[in-house]
Amino acid sequence: MKLVRFIMLARRPGSMSDDRWQKLIRRVSDIEGLRLADRNDLLHVVTSDDSPLHIGGHGVVVGRLFERDGREVAQLGPEACDRIVGSAGQSLCADYWGPYVCILRQKDGDRISVLRAPLGALPCYLVAFEGGVALASDVDLFIACGLLRPVIDWDEVLRHLMVRDLVWPETCLSGLRELRGGQQLLLSEEGLAIQDVWSPTTFARRDHQMRDPIAAARIVRDTVCNSVASLASGEAGIVLMLSGGLDSSVLAAALTRQDVPVTCITLVTGDATGDERRYARQVCAALGLSLVEGWRDLAGIDVGRSDARGLPRPTERMFFQESRRLCEQAAAEAGATAIFNGGGGDNIFCSLRSGAPAADRLLTGGSGFLSTVRDLSHLTQESRQTVMMDAVRRAWFGKPTIRLSHDTSLLSPDVVEAAHPPWRHPWLESAAELLPGSAQHLRLVACAQDIAEGAQPWDRLPMISPLMVQPLVEACLSIASWLWLDAGHNRAVARHAFADVLPEDVAWRRSKGTPDAFTARIFDANRRKLREILSGGELVRLGLVDLPAILEVLDDPRPVHGHSFRRVLQLADVEAWAAGWIASDV
């Protein structure tokens, strides 16, 4: 299914003239492909959604809404509408899930609220203007109605480069913010306010933990299968990016239960770490699925182009250009209408390598502590004494549970010294109240938030990450951290949940494939062009990067090594992203 587009205009009572309001409405109404969904004197909503859900005359839900059992909602009944209106929209987070945005007029008529689904794949950006606010699914809609001139906020670009994994409401375009999943915007006579109405922290608390391994495996399997069934419904066919690793293989197993054609694709490079065909073939043979083996082609990479074009942050990785091309090609040949991937699986399934789960054992009575130490020692190849000491320090001697490090490599030392990146993330502010392992699991989820919420409106086909959905995140965070370890394996609950349908080599696989060698080839083949892009680019002009250090990496005659080459590619992608916005503003 195509990603829904929408734009909403809202004004405070008496805040602007009717003439100016009507002028804005005319601009919005002229946007091709959007139809009226809701309106009154203070609100105007248009969307590409053919069947938005109306909330009994009080507002509208755009996108897809699923019951907790996975059934898609086609119409909201009177009781559901009353509950939504009575809770100011917040009951949606408890009763439903999905890629939706709820726009609600409160009972008094003068207050408007907008709720974005927790981990919702339907984007929601906002631009404030005198007397009101506009919210939309993509930047181009703001530009089309004259509410935004795209100007890059280089301070935010710097923060993005220093703290890549976590994403804040501020974007890298001046004047544009994002309503993150689980947040609600309120507009009233008093002004504009944003509040968090859902947080995964709730489900990671000690009194919420599940400690029965059999029950944990059952709930993970049921939740994965229900979520996949919901997201697959309505698709003519699905292409699954199947590496043969645990996460994508779990999705393959869940998809076999759906009445929708599935084509798997495994992406191959010429080196051992980039060739996982052995595992992908085993999965497809066991599940009766077809497999396409797509060879990544270096010629398909353009280091002067960013796949994040049109997005308010430079979030894409360069090697994914070829992944996207191969997946779209496979989809065209198979008649598929969506691409599924296992993004976020390591995060959701608690792939930890610290002593934190053993610390959780100590803080909950100590039973099973030595067993967890043994598992961690086997997993990390550290001595049991080292693991035990790490656990003790985390449990009783104040070793920080969460360290939010920042990457200053190849950035200008002067700029780094002057920068003050905010480390606070709303989901992590109360992490100190959690057990150490649960807190680290929560951090993993926070680092994967943008996998769920970073959809691209211009993708030919929707790229869906079914593991990064609200019901599964809530279920996995409620499982005790030590249950995710077994016999020296991480992600053990998910392994047990699907062990009966996956080949043993896959269910209990330890190795992981990576595109690192292909990424290194991209760098090596494009050294000259990368030098041109970065030497004459905005990052150098503004003094944000250390050009001599960059050139030292580019001119190193040795075979590609270390990590700096990835940073150079990231900086080049930022330049390509910025060039797109600068050109659009000419």
Side-chain angles (χ1 to χ4, degrees), residues 154 161 164 301-307 314 316-318 321 410 522-523 526-527 529-535 537-539 545 550 554 564-580:
W154 289 103
L161 288 170
R164 186 178 177 101
I301 302 295
D302 180 358
V303 296
R305 187 187 93 227
S306 172
D307 271 9
E316 287 294 313
R317 288 176 169 84
M318 204 166 285
Q321 291 180 20
L410 303 186
I522 295 171
F523 173 85
N526 290 279
R527 290 178 189 257
K529 189 169 184 180
L530 290 167
R531 171 187 272 271
E532 293 172 359
I533 290 170
L534 292 169
S535 296
E538 293 296 303
L539 292 170
V545 295
I550 292 171
L554 285 166
S564 295
F565 74 93
R566 297 189 194 89
R567 182 64 151 182
V568 170
L569 290 173
Q570 182 193 9
L571 296 176
D573 189 75
V574 170
E575 286 288 359
W577 169 86

Side-chain angles (χ1 to χ4, degrees), residues 456-525:
Q456 296 204 41
W458 303 121
D459 276 346
R460 292 189 183 92
L461 296 175
M463 189 78 69
I464 299 171
S465 302
L467 298 180
M468 280 299 303
V469 294
Q470 181 188 350
L472 188 58
V473 168
E474 293 174 352
C476 289
L477 282 174
S478 69
I479 295 170
S481 63
W482 59 81
L483 291 185
W484 295 100
L485 298 163
D486 186 28
H489 292 84
N490 57 18
R491 298 174 288 168
V493 177
R495 296 179 192 274
H496 282 295
F498 289 89
D500 64 326
V501 292
L502 293 177
E504 185 176 356
D505 280 357
V506 173
W508 298 100
R509 179 182 172 187
R510 294 184 185 276
S511 63
K512 288 182 73 72
T514 75
D516 286 356
F518 183 65
T519 305
R521 288 175 57 207
I522 295 171
F523 173 85
D524 202 30

Side-chain angles (χ1 to χ4, degrees), residues 298-376:
L298 199 61
I301 302 295
D302 180 358
V303 296
R305 187 187 93 227
S306 172
D307 271 9
R309 61 193 182 279
L311 294 178
R313 301 183 187 93
T315 53
E316 287 294 313
R317 288 176 169 84
M318 204 166 285
F319 73 85
F320 204 75
Q321 291 180 20
E322 187 64 357
S323 304
R324 193 184 305 274
R325 181 188 70 81
L326 289 167
C327 288
E328 290 178 350
Q329 178 179 302
E333 293 173 357
T337 53
I339 300 168
F340 279 22
N341 64 63
D346 282 353
N347 307 65
I348 300 308
F349 295 149
C350 196
S351 183
L352 292 179
R353 299 180 64 85
S354 75
D360 289 4
R361 288 280 209 184
L362 288 175
L363 292 169
T364 54
S367 175
F369 171 68
L370 293 178
S371 173
T372 300
V373 166
R374 183 173 61 250
D375 285 335
L376 283 166

Side-chain angles (χ1 to χ4, degrees), residues 144-159:
C145 59
L147 287 170
L148 180 70
R149 176 190 168 201
V151 176
I152 296 171
D153 185 334
W154 289 103
D155 288 337
E156 287 300 325
V157 172
L158 179 64
R159 176 163 69 164

